[in-house]
Amino acid sequence: MFPRELSSPIYPHQPTSTVIVILLLHCTQCFFLPCRLAFCNRESRTSRCLVVSPKQTPKLLGEIAMDAKDILGLSKTSHPASQEKKSRTVKESQRKPDGISREVYALIGGVPPLMPAVEPLQLKKRPPTDEKITWQWLPFTSSARKDNLQLFHWVRVVNGVPPMGDYSFAKYNKSVDVVKYTDEEYEKHLTDDMWTKEETDQLFELCQQFDLRFIVIADRFPSSRTVEELKERYYKVSRSILIARAAASPGDVSEHPIVKEPYKFTQERDRKRALSMVLSQTKHQERKDSEVLAEAKRIAESRMAARNAKESELPITFNVERAIVPSETLSPSSNSEFPSAMVAPSTSMAENTSTLASLRMLRVYLRTYALDQMIQAASSSAGLRTIKRVEQSLQELGVNLKPRVPTKSVCAQHLELRKEILTLLNLQKQLQYKEAEGSSYRDSPYETPGTPKDRTFVPESTSFGGDVLGERVGKRDQKRKAPGRAEAPSSPAQPKRPRKLRASDM
Amino acid sequence: MSVRKAGESEPPQPEEGGSSAQLSQPVRTSKPAEDGDKKSTNKRLKDVDICVPIVYGTVAFYLGRKASESQSHKWTVYVRGATNEDLGVVVKRVIFQLHPSFNNPMRVIDSPPFELTECGWGEFEIAISLFFHNDVCERQLDLYHHLKLYTEDESGPQSTKKPVVVESYNEIVFPDPLEACFARLQNHPAVIVPRLPAGFNLPNPVSIDQKNDKERGDTKDHPLSQWFLNFSEADELLKLAAARQEVQAHIVNVRRKLSMLDGPPQLSKPPSGYEYA
């Protein structure tokens, strides 16, 4: 592998001033031990140079250079050597920076990073300052303290001048304005059956002390009262006091939050209870809730669609192309299971009636449109393949996919036929599954050695009515085999091979 | 069939299980611009459908010697009653939207028979919009028909005598019609209405203003009537019945087999000793 840097040819046509020297070094990279060429990378630690001096015999140089190029497989076109420097600098920018290996550099993109990195050298630099900074241990006072305690701390003194101003943390000494009532006020406004004056006073003292942290207050309160009770009492008192004091101008306080929205005990209690319930819901519960919500949303949306269809006053109604199919499935879970004969009718009934309902909401519609909607509703539980199979069966029966004379009765019959074909296909599938299950049991014990196991399963082809013939064939075979062989009692020897309906069957 | 009148404020009765789709909303109320008949009730007949069977399509003649590059065929597009009765009782106006290369591509036909004859050379899709009388329906109904000028087998010269005819049968259904509308239409041959139970009181039919430029609105003796196709539901019904029978037979078959398989499963299950791993 050759170092990629070297793409510039070595062989100059014109000898230039740059001195080019060949160093006969062992080139560890190119494995061409005999070539003994080495390549120069100014920055790299492994400095190997290929420099050719024009002072030496040009012929020899040329030959050596050509040999080198041959070995390396480089192009033989020449560049003036002056470009070498430029190309080399270009190459240098493409070369990897120091500090990380080449492979790592390639891993992170092989290009220089987008953001200029902060040079570590810059971080330590600081503007030279002409101020004299000293640190002194000085006393200070804080406006937050009410006593005269003298405290000390380190202070950054600039040019012998200590900083002015209050203690910087004093501004954080905030407290809540807890209402203070007099005894007369208590007598007049605040008496309560559930609360004695003593208790109320205690409460307010604690509120003042603990800055309305009711959890703590409830904990410290001598008699056991719940947080909600304490809150209620406190807010009630505050509200009454506010209103009483502002009796002269009630409008002023009406903006106060506690006056506008008084504390509601029951509401708070219920809210907290609901919150704790939500928090403690199990995953199972959550899933159930989201399912129910999704279902409700779907129903609401289908109603919305039906309502829009009814109420829209747009003059242009593309009845023919309308796409609303409000198929409300009564039992969503059963649809995902293998549709049994019992479940299918109930869901199709629901879809039927809801499609009918949505059709009635239209002021006018075409019979073919109605038929399409009903067909869509009926086959909403069927996959695309099943639908194609139904259509193929219809064709084989000689029935038009879209009736040529779509009268009411024709459409009804057509729909019923489609449903019956669907039922038949489902039953056939069931039968196949059952047989697949059963066949794993019906083996060696019941067959003599030598009986060929021709239990190949033909995947249900889209042909119609195969069972009849399959059975007939099976019976015939059984008759033939009976004398000589023992057979599995309840399994047909032939697989159920559906066959194409023939014209003779019609 | 129970027929109920749904007044303006009465919520619609739920059908069998479809109640979730029905909203308890008042039925759409009367249109204020009713033809001055203040006595007309705006009640609708619930669970009643008025059905109008129609046939729409095109008949195209090759012009033969008279044909030119731009006018090689003369064709007629129309909407007619399936039994060639007059559709004017139901349809107020039909608008045929032609290819934009035609002059005035939006052709309005205000009176029956609703047809349009033109000359041209190209095949395109014609949009047919049906507008009904006010008491029948306020919304229009759109149909689409592809104009066919050439037969499938392009071999041989085109005949000027035998046209290329493409017709489609369909039925327009008006669910829950107004009483007045029902009264007006119930005896008209172009319309199929269900029989109401005896003693049902309908308002007296008021005939509406019908434009009749032409003498008759029906297409029974229409010049093109010899080319009209026949649409008989009997054939289809027969075929459908036969198909259904066959399918039902197969279903019975498969059901029987399934029950056989379910029946004696113990026999086919080998005793545990012989089960092979």
Side-chain angles (χ1 to χ4, degrees), chain A residues 196-213:
Chain A
T196 65
K197 183 166 191 310
E198 233 180 42
E199 276 192 314
T200 316
D201 288 344
Q202 267 178 336
L203 169 64
F204 270 76
E205 202 183 292
L206 285 173
C207 286
Q208 175 68 48
Q209 187 183 5
F210 289 116
D211 287 332
L212 291 190
R213 296 193 171 92

Side-chain angles (χ1 to χ4, degrees), chain A residues 328 360 404-405 407 420, chain B residues 20 49 173 233 236 244 248:
Chain A
E328 299 172 12
R360 295 217 78 79
R404 186 170 166 265
V405 190
T407 64
E420 280 165 8
Chain B
S20 46
D49 290 346
V173 184
E233 63 170 354
E236 291 232 35
R244 281 192 72 184
Q248 279 158 8

Side-chain angles (χ1 to χ4, degrees), chain A residues 478-499:
Chain A
Q478 284 189 13
K479 278 204 188 123
R480 272 207 301 269
K481 287 185 197 163
R485 304 187 186 181
E487 282 180 30
S490 54
S491 77
Q494 289 280 20
K496 299 235 177 300
R497 209 182 304 268
R499 60 156 185 127

Side-chain angles (χ1 to χ4, degrees), chain A residues 201-312:
Chain A
D201 288 344
Q202 267 178 336
L203 169 64
F204 270 76
E205 202 183 292
L206 285 173
C207 286
Q208 175 68 48
Q209 187 183 5
F210 289 116
D211 287 332
L212 291 190
R213 296 193 171 92
F214 281 102
I215 311 279
V216 180
I217 294 169
D219 187 53
R220 295 283 170 125
F221 205 72
S223 57
S224 65
R225 294 255 189 188
T226 66
V227 174
E228 285 85 24
E229 282 178 20
L230 298 172
K231 275 192 180 174
E232 196 196 13
R233 181 63 180 153
Y234 171 78
Y235 287 121
K236 200 157 164 206
V237 167
S238 316
R239 191 162 189 269
S240 316
I241 291 283
L242 261 178
I243 293 174
R245 284 183 189 163
S249 49
D252 290 344
V253 277
S254 59
E255 283 311 303
H256 197 277
I258 191 60
V259 175
K260 265 207 291 192
E261 288 150 34
Y263 182 80
K264 291 189 189 86
F265 176 82
T266 46
Q267 196 184 47
E268 280 295 295
R269 196 190 48 197
D270 295 334
R271 177 184 69 88
K272 287 185 185 172
R273 194 179 296 162
L275 205 61
S276 69
M277 261 175 45
V278 171
L279 188 64
S280 57
Q281 254 188 357
T282 59
K283 264 223 171 94
H284 180 68
Q285 198 76 29
E286 269 179 39
R287 251 184 288 127
K288 278 255 170 70
D289 284 347
S290 58
E291 266 176 39
V292 170
L293 281 171
E295 191 63 41
K297 193 175 173 203
R298 243 183 290 142
I299 293 174
E301 272 171 12
S302 70
R303 280 196 199 167
M304 197 61 69
R307 201 189 300 176
N308 284 340
K310 185 188 172 197
E311 284 185 355
S312 80

Side-chain angles (χ1 to χ4, degrees), chain A residues 137-140 150-154:
Chain A
W137 181 253
L138 295 176
F140 70 95
Q150 188 67 283
L151 295 170
F152 295 79
H153 63 188
W154 285 106

